[in-house]
Amino acid sequence: MALVNIFLMLLLFAFVHHQITTTEARLDVGVCYGMIGDNLPSPAAVVKLYRRYGIGKLRLFDPNPAALAALRGSEIEVTLGTKNEDLQSIALSVDAAKTWFDANVQPYTSDVKITFLSAGNEVVPGNLAQFVLPAMRNLQSVVKGYGYSGMRITTVVATSTLGTSYPPSNSTFSNAARADMVGIIKFLSSSGSPLMINVYPYFAYASDPVNVRLDYAQFTANGSVVQDGTLSYSNLLDAVVDAFYWAMEKEGVTSVDLVVSESGWPSAGNGYITSVELAQIYNQNLVKRFQANAGTPKHPDRSLGGFIFAMFNENQKPAGIERNFRLFYPDGTPVYRMYFN
């Protein structure tokens, strides 16, 4: 997940009734399932937790066999990532991509609802960025060859792909990312797949609390905070999403939708700005924002969906903020109450 870009970052979650509680409703919101920890429940127990709380979508960062096996027959929609280190080999040829696919995806296609395959996570810009587009093309050929019309190919990028980003209408891709991003978004436009973006308003606020208002980051502002021509923004999420829309439009691409592949607010790790209360407010308002099925000021016609980061804390990640985004304790109890009106 990205820890960058000052005027950017944000995403989702949904549970029903007046706190996190068992429900039969299936909510069209996802939660990221990270597995870098030694104190996490079994994949089977995690899938039961998703189903218990009606979480209908799951993002899995790499093709973990135990997690995929546990998802069999669950009807949970899965966004499955490749490991970043596998991108170069997948990019070599369609045959190489098929070898990867046959080992990691094909065994589960009959009873796991894999709706998106993500070629890499936050590798643009960077040394691996050159492999994203050919990897996407090769995976698309493999999926098409198998006739899996319900499985689409995408990639996940961070807000660091943007150079100029404020106000949204001034947004462009950075010089370091532009060449790769133009190829990626043109591929997505031709294939009808969305671009996935990781957005964290928390990091924007933490980096510059003087100029980035807390209420703007947490969806609690009363009225417009940023006026960009005729477009008014009361929350940072909408501004970040529209920044991407503007950057794509300046490259001649207007038909690619956006999905928020990660967002959340840490409940510990950085003093008073990472409290349980603030995490609860952010995620609760994020749920409301996405369950409203609404678009952004620039594209009110395009509803926005995505994934909250994350299901659990991962104690084998490097020490720091990234360990503190959990919604649930390892025993399956919620970290805080979650209201949904």
Side-chain angles (χ1 to χ4, degrees), residues 12 18 26 38 44 73 99 103 156 209 217 281 291 303 307 320 332:
L12 333 164
H18 48 276
R26 189 178 189 84
D38 61 8
T99 297
V156 174
I281 291 170
Q291 288 298 103
S303 61
F307 301 81

Side-chain angles (χ1 to χ4, degrees), residues 74-93:
S74 68
E75 294 298 310
I76 293 170
E77 295 182 12
V78 178
T79 292
L80 178 62
T82 69
K83 293 181 179 179
N84 288 344
E85 55 264 37
D86 289 341
L87 278 174
Q88 187 170 1
S89 62
I90 295 170
L92 284 174
S93 65

